[in-house]
Amino acid sequence: MDFSLSPAVRDFRDTIRRIVADTVTPADIDRMHTTGTFDLPALNRALAEHGFLERATPGLGKGDPVELWVMFNELEKAGAPIDGLAVALMIAGVVQAVGTEEQKERILPSILAGEALVCMGYSEADYGSDVASITTKAVRDGDEWVIDGAKMWTTMAHEARWLILLTRTDPDLPKHKGLTMFILPMDTPGITVEPVHTMATERTNATWYDDVRVGDEAVLGEVNGGWRTMTVALSFERGVMGGTNTGVPLLRHFRHWAAEVGIDTDPRVREEMARVAIDNQVAALLTQRSAWIAASGGQAGLEGSMTKVFATEAYQRAAEAFQRMAGPAGLLQFHQPGAAADGFVEYDARHAPVTTIYGGTTEINRNNIAERHLKLPRARR
Ligand SMILES: Cc1cc2nc3c(=O)[nH]c(=O)nc-3n(C[C@H](O)[C@H](O)[C@H](O)COP(=O)(O)OP(=O)(O)OC[C@H]3O[C@@H](n4cnc5c(N)ncnc54)[C@H](O)[C@@H]3O)c2cc1C
């Protein structure tokens, strides 16, 4: 198998590297860590100006399918603030896959221009893994749907122009079947957003929906077909668009610091760095496969789960090992004198555990792999 990139894809990668070098400044990275908002509008717009956002959206990209992986791999390796962009492009892929022509015309241009973000309202305070049990309801009232309820962990709700919202539309149907997904503007009356700051630095949100009224143009997919719409979204989220190469900047930061303080000659440190480098390579190959499937029009539900479990657990192992090796310096944060790798060791140790939770926990993804790949019995109904 020849994994080398074609000359055209290498050009594409080089252009992305140039855009990152021109637009992502140390001050932007600092702002991301201070505010917890992992988004950089100037970067999104610069990528859009080159047509790269459209090229990286599943179902829209006309280039080599490996480009989806190349783009997110480069952005992640640079440690750029891309969570907002990743979710926006995932949902652009969902609109392209299950949306109406009218929705595609109305919603996609703002996302593909790098102007609009999207947030995802699936989880509720009591229903994360068991998201099929959500209680936020949408009730028919004449030509309108009236939405009432509350969501938890609505990341980017404070920045997003669009929201996709999972609701219960038929309480009498089995729980997976009575759900409908909506896509609506965040400035629709009745929506409230409150910040939730996490140990991982990332700011997320709690959101409330009080007599929110939308028409049929907001239904994304089929009425009572919300589970399928969410399955498409998860197949783009897990192991496809970012979140699986976070070990690369961590290793780079640690390696530079280890050389500075002179521990890079210690065989135990070298062995750990080699192990992390191998894990990073495996994560990159697994991501390449999931991203390729998504970019070629498929759904990487199973492969994405495999990628996410491996990559996020490897990242967590690496962060823990480097923090242990750094000793007290690994507990110091950004801007504290003597902090290991300028604070990145401490940051990654806090950030890594959360990556095994969002987008579906490791246990839920393991269940998915067990059931779909190993054909083991279902763990839950
Ligand atoms: C920083 C952050 C950002 C997020 N962003 C978003 C977002 O933008 N939109 C959104 O909708 N959600 C978002 N989430 C929510 C995320 O998807 C949920 O946190 C996740 O699905 C877990 O749900 P929970 O927190 O309710 O935990 P629970 O479901 O209560 O799980 C608790 C523990 O029990 C385990 N468990 C639960 N069920 C099973 C089972 N059947 N088998 C084995 N183990 C099980 C879990 O693995 C976990 O270890 C975000 C979460 C975080 C932390």
Side-chain angles (χ1 to χ4, degrees):
M1 181 77 69
D2 180 5
F3 283 103
S4 54
L5 301 176
S6 69
V9 175
R10 281 206 300 273
D11 284 349
F12 172 75
R13 184 192 60 190
D14 292 345
T15 312
I16 288 172
R17 286 183 180 168
R18 259 201 316 278
I19 292 172
V20 170
D22 290 347
T23 48
V24 184
T25 66
D28 293 322
I29 305 275
D30 204 42
R31 193 173 320 112
M32 151 181 162
H33 288 124
T34 314
T35 62
T37 298
F38 290 15
D39 180 53
L40 183 55
L43 173 65
N44 304 347
R45 279 195 297 270
L47 292 165
E49 275 163 23
H50 284 77
F52 289 173
L53 300 193
E54 183 161 348
R55 269 165 84 163
T57 298
L60 285 174
K62 302 278 186 290
D64 188 323
V66 81
E67 288 178 2
L68 174 62
W69 173 76
V70 169
M71 185 171 109
F72 278 99
N73 183 252
E74 286 306 321
L75 296 171
E76 268 206 295
K77 281 194 307 194
I82 55 160
D83 290 16
L85 177 68
V87 173
L89 294 192
M90 272 171 220
I91 304 307
V94 178
V95 172
Q96 178 63 19
V98 305
T100 62
E101 290 309 312
E102 186 276 331
Q103 285 171 333
K104 290 177 196 171
E105 279 171 30
R106 181 162 51 86
I107 296 166
L108 291 183
S110 60
I111 300 175
L112 300 178
E115 299 292 342
L117 298 183
V118 189
C119 58
M120 303 181 293
Y122 316 144
S123 306
E124 298 181 0
D126 290 330
Y127 304 110
S129 300
D130 186 17
V131 70
S133 296
I134 52 120
T135 59
T136 293
K137 60 178 195 241
V139 177
R140 198 82 181 141
D141 180 19
D143 290 343
E144 291 182 322
W145 293 93
V146 184
I147 302 173
D148 284 284
K151 295 284 174 183
M152 188 60 183
W153 314 114
T154 325
T155 310
M156 291 292 162
H158 59 298
E159 297 274 310
R161 187 180 302 179
W162 301 100
L163 156 76
I164 66 165
L165 189 62
L166 190 66
T167 65
R168 184 159 305 284
T169 34
D170 192 337
D172 297 328
L173 286 174
K175 63 181 186 179
H176 291 79
K177 297 199 170 143
L179 303 169
T180 300
M181 190 75 83
F182 290 87
I183 185 160
L184 55 151
M186 271 307 286
D187 60 5
T188 310
I191 302 178
T192 313
V193 179
E194 291 288 343
V196 174
H197 295 282
T198 67
M199 68 177 248
T201 296
E202 265 177 83
R203 173 198 165 149
T204 176
N205 301 285
T207 51
W208 284 268
Y209 307 88
D210 184 14
D211 198 31
V212 174
R213 288 175 178 266
V214 290
D216 283 329
E217 79 289 344
V219 175
L220 183 59
E222 301 289 323
V223 172
N224 294 331
W227 191 254
R228 177 170 176 263
T229 302
M230 198 182 64
T231 306
V232 175
L234 287 176
S235 80
F236 296 149
E237 178 172 8
R238 292 177 179 160
V240 172
M241 295 196 194
T244 54
N245 295 289
T246 24
V248 177
L250 169 60
L251 176 58
R252 186 175 67 238
H253 292 132
F254 182 79
R255 184 164 53 83
H256 286 159
W257 176 76
E260 262 168 42
V261 296
I263 60 167
D264 61 335
T265 48
D266 181 329
R268 286 164 308 174
V269 173
R270 295 174 75 81
E271 187 179 323
E272 197 58 49
M273 289 197 293
R275 197 179 54 74
V276 173
I278 293 166
D279 278 353
N280 287 348
Q281 189 62 30
V282 175
L285 288 172
L286 288 170
T287 312
Q288 233 174 24
R289 178 172 64 162
S290 327
W292 179 282
I293 293 170
S296 310
Q299 282 186 27
L302 170 62
E303 295 79 3
S305 283
M306 291 178 175
T307 306
K308 181 177 188 286
V309 168
F310 179 84
T312 55
E313 289 200 333
Y315 174 40
Q316 195 171 346
R317 269 196 308 276
E320 283 171 6
F322 289 158
Q323 191 174 45
R324 208 171 44 244
M325 291 180 160
L331 297 174
L332 297 176
Q333 303 196 317
F334 295 117
H335 304 299
Q336 289 187 312
D342 294 328
F344 275 102
V345 168
E346 190 276 341
Y347 159 72
D348 281 293
R350 278 186 293 109
H351 187 240
V354 174
T355 64
T356 65
I357 297 172
Y358 55 55
T361 66
T362 292
E363 289 76 17
I364 294 302
N365 280 292
R366 278 199 206 289
N367 284 348
N368 191 22
I369 297 162
E371 287 158 19
R372 295 175 63 182
H373 185 57
L374 303 174
K375 308 294 179 205
L376 295 176
R378 278 182 66 78
R380 58 185 175 148
R381 302 263 148 230

